[in-house]
Amino acid sequence: MDHLSLLPVAREAVAIGRRIVTSRAPRSVTAKSERDLVTDIDLAVEEAVREFLARETPDIGLVGEEHGGERGALWWVLDPVDGTANFARGIPLTGISLALVSGERSVVAAIDLPFLDTVYTAVEDYGAFAGDTRIGVSGASALAEAMVSLGDFAVGADAGPKNRLRLALLEQLGARAERVRMIGTAAADLAWVAHGRLDATIILSNLPWDTMAGVLLVREASGLVLDADGSDHTVSSASTIALAPGLRDVVLELLC
């Protein structure tokens, strides 16, 4: 299948999400689990995008954050509202994230940041774009020059040990990096590494709906995306470390 021919489908899918997200504030916010939220907008976006993709690409599977689904040799993965906690409080750092995954790697990506009026897209071997403008990662090579974002803290029964690692990492970055940010949406973290607005992001998890679209953006913007052990990132990786190539060694040292 020609992956490039599926980019318009991905763009329209996230545009459907944008129209819903920007149409009204959430009317209900409920807890899926400890400190993990879902709104009626998350559900509405996923249902609308599922319907659209089932009609346009009936032979391609779909996994969504809210309703799950089936993987296949080729499958879509959707986060209908990435950054739900931000969205529920009216913080405009949220996105609709969609990737097409072939095997272990994403091959088409679309991320719409609706309140920032920016759409990021990529197709494997065709580059990464913000709107119609081709983008690339920064040339940062020293941590003291780098703005680094961190993924959210862990929640749930086993959060304590995981967050001790995050706190230790935060302490090291606070002492050495130019600036540290916690934005609250992996889609924006990864898109902004691809765009050179962030120099690295360290996400110590890898939920495919959160990461797979942004991973392709970074790679197509000439960046690196790795697991915490330095191996190439795949859908099965434990962590998602995206960065400008010049920061590879110094960031991996922090994770040892």
Side-chain angles (χ1 to χ4, degrees):
M1 181 176 291
D2 178 7
H3 297 146
L4 187 61
S5 69
L6 291 172
L7 180 59
V9 176
R11 290 182 65 103
E12 177 57 23
V14 297
I16 290 169
R18 173 195 282 239
R19 291 193 287 271
I20 296 170
V21 165
T22 57
S23 66
R24 60 178 172 84
R27 294 171 183 155
S28 68
V29 181
T30 57
K32 292 192 291 186
S33 57
E34 181 189 354
R35 292 185 288 157
D36 190 12
L37 306 176
V38 63
T39 74
D40 58 311
I41 301 294
D42 296 68
L43 299 173
V45 171
E46 182 157 328
E47 289 161 8
V49 173
R50 278 181 177 277
E51 182 180 338
F52 171 75
L53 291 175
R55 184 171 65 251
E56 295 295 320
T57 57
D59 297 326
I60 298 177
L62 171 65
V63 175
E65 178 178 9
E66 306 307 336
H67 296 306
E70 295 293 330
R71 301 184 183 189
L74 196 64
W75 49 288
W76 296 107
V77 59
L78 169 71
D79 193 334
V81 180
D82 187 56
T84 297
N86 287 347
F87 177 60
R89 290 176 174 265
I91 298 171
L93 297 176
T94 191
I96 301 102
S97 181
L98 179 69
L100 182 67
V101 180
S102 177
E104 290 280 295
R105 293 167 68 96
S106 39
V107 293
V108 178
I111 292 175
D112 192 322
L113 305 181
F115 300 110
L116 303 180
D117 197 26
T118 307
V119 180
Y120 291 95
T121 57
V123 177
E124 188 176 45
D125 298 327
Y126 286 91
F129 294 82
D132 296 326
T133 302
R134 190 159 187 158
I135 57 174
V137 297
S138 80
S141 59
L143 200 54
E145 303 169 347
M147 182 174 285
V148 182
S149 70
L150 292 178
D152 282 336
F153 285 101
V155 298
D158 58 348
K162 293 179 180 178
N163 286 332
R164 282 192 285 274
L165 176 59
R166 287 164 170 79
L167 288 167
L169 180 60
L170 184 60
E171 181 178 16
Q172 293 185 74
L173 287 169
R176 298 177 59 186
E178 181 184 87
R179 290 290 186 275
V180 182
R181 297 288 183 260
M182 185 174 280
I183 293 164
T185 157
D189 285 323
L190 292 161
W192 288 344
V193 171
H195 205 168
R197 293 176 172 177
L198 295 171
D199 303 294
T201 189
I202 302 172
I203 303 168
L204 296 179
S205 63
N206 182 39
L207 299 171
W209 43 82
D210 286 339
T211 59
M212 293 309 292
V215 164
L216 182 62
L217 284 172
V218 174
R219 285 183 169 144
E220 289 298 312
S222 301
L224 300 177
V225 192
L226 310 169
D227 203 343
D229 62 2
S231 60
D232 282 345
H233 183 279
T234 73
V235 73
S236 303
S237 294
S239 298
T240 308
I241 318 300
L243 35 67
L247 294 172
R248 180 187 187 279
D249 292 344
V250 67
V251 169
L252 289 178
E253 281 177 14
L254 299 175
L255 301 171
C256 295

